Amino acid sequence: MDEVKVVIAHSERATLRVGDVFLKVDSDQARLDREVEVMAVVPVPAPRVLWHKPSVLAISAVPGTVLGRIGRPSTSSPAAWAAAGAVVRELHDAPAPPWPGGGGQGIDELAAKLDEECEQLVRDGLLAANVVARNRRVADAALRPWTPVFIHGDLHITHVFADGDDITGIIDWSEGGQGDALRDLATLTLGHPEHLGDVVAGYGGDVDLDVVRAWWSLRALLVVRWLAEHGFDPFSPRGEADVLRARM
């Protein structure tokens, strides 16, 4: 039997690798079902669904290595980052499925969740009140009407795989659906602002960089407490806390 490697694990889900097969175990069956639906229609390179049963989804491995990791400088070339931007553009230009992506929150829901999270971050002493307040103001620029497109919804840098200068696949489609294009661009470049220009060059067209930066603040504010509570370190160098402090 091939070695079983734990890729990621927390109280909601776990991903295991056995040879060239990834097994996703999820407490939310609806989330797994939705991921299968999304992967059936994505127009960009993605894993193949091998089989799925209650609570478990088996998918093929994607060749290459992750584009980078938050908290570490990326070793991928500027051309690879530009290629990632081009692939994201292809996704955004494709017909979107009928359901909302990225957790399904609209502007009002996002604003309410953000305010609640900001209060909790200060109350728990995880971040200084002035850092939270400054980033909450910056995040306002993202809370505006947008034209829904087909988004990944959680386009974390570790979900994008590259081989040299080519993008070989994007994984983890559980939040795919309709949403704000700039959310994807911001999530991809979170913690790697030096590559925003490369991504935008590959993406093409007019991109409001202030809104992308606003999404950096918004996303970081929303995930710091969750990461800390689930065994991850948002306070590592170049991590989410540093993203927020950089806005000061």
Side-chain angles (χ1 to χ4, degrees):
M1 180 179 177
D2 289 309
E3 179 184 7
V4 176
K5 178 182 179 181
V6 178
V7 179
I8 188 170
H10 51 78
S11 60
E12 295 177 7
R13 69 190 87 158
T15 300
L16 311 175
R17 180 168 187 167
V18 185
D20 288 333
V21 177
F22 284 90
L23 300 176
K24 300 187 72 171
V25 183
D26 200 315
S27 61
D28 185 342
Q29 182 61 40
R31 185 161 50 202
L32 280 183
D33 292 342
R34 176 56 52 83
E35 185 162 6
V36 172
E37 288 185 84
V38 174
M39 283 195 289
V41 297
V42 293
V44 300
R48 290 184 299 110
V49 175
L50 302 176
W51 52 263
H52 60 106
K53 298 179 179 180
S55 301
V56 184
L57 169 63
I59 59 176
S60 63
V62 171
T65 57
V66 295
L67 191 63
R69 296 185 184 279
I70 195 165
R72 306 179 195 172
S74 171
T75 58
S76 296
S77 68
W81 282 88
V87 170
V88 175
R89 183 60 177 236
E90 185 179 353
L91 173 66
H92 292 171
D93 285 345
W99 53 79
Q105 297 124 335
I107 297 171
D108 291 341
E109 291 172 295
L110 268 175
K113 181 174 176 58
L114 185 58
D115 287 338
E116 179 182 345
E117 198 63 33
C118 287
E119 291 177 8
Q120 192 68 46
L121 285 168
V122 175
R123 188 180 306 122
D124 291 350
L126 287 175
L127 290 168
N130 64 327
V131 173
V132 172
R134 167 61 179 160
N135 280 274
R136 177 61 184 87
R137 291 194 297 272
V138 171
D140 263 335
L143 300 172
R144 85 283 177 229
W146 58 73
T147 301
V149 300
F150 193 163
I151 66 168
H152 181 278
D154 187 26
L155 197 61
H156 195 281
I157 189 174
T158 57
H159 294 159
V160 181
F161 282 70
D163 183 4
D165 295 340
D166 299 319
I167 301 304
T168 55
I170 300 177
I171 66 170
D172 204 345
W173 291 89
S174 60
E175 295 192 27
Q178 295 185 20
D180 181 9
L182 300 191
R183 176 182 186 142
D184 272 354
L185 297 183
T187 305
L188 177 62
T189 55
L190 184 77
H192 293 274
E194 69 278 10
H195 289 294
L196 177 57
D198 300 322
V199 170
V200 170
Y203 186 80
D206 293 330
V207 173
D208 191 329
L209 299 183
D210 287 337
V211 174
V212 172
R213 296 182 182 108
W215 269 111
W216 287 344
S217 291
L218 195 158
R219 179 175 173 86
L221 285 169
L222 289 180
V223 301
V224 164
R225 194 165 60 90
W226 185 94
L227 290 169
E229 291 176 352
H230 287 80
F232 303 100
D233 184 10
F235 301 99
S236 61
R238 298 172 64 100
E240 286 80 2
D242 274 359
V243 169
L244 295 170
R245 295 184 187 113
R247 305 277 70 79
M248 300 301 291

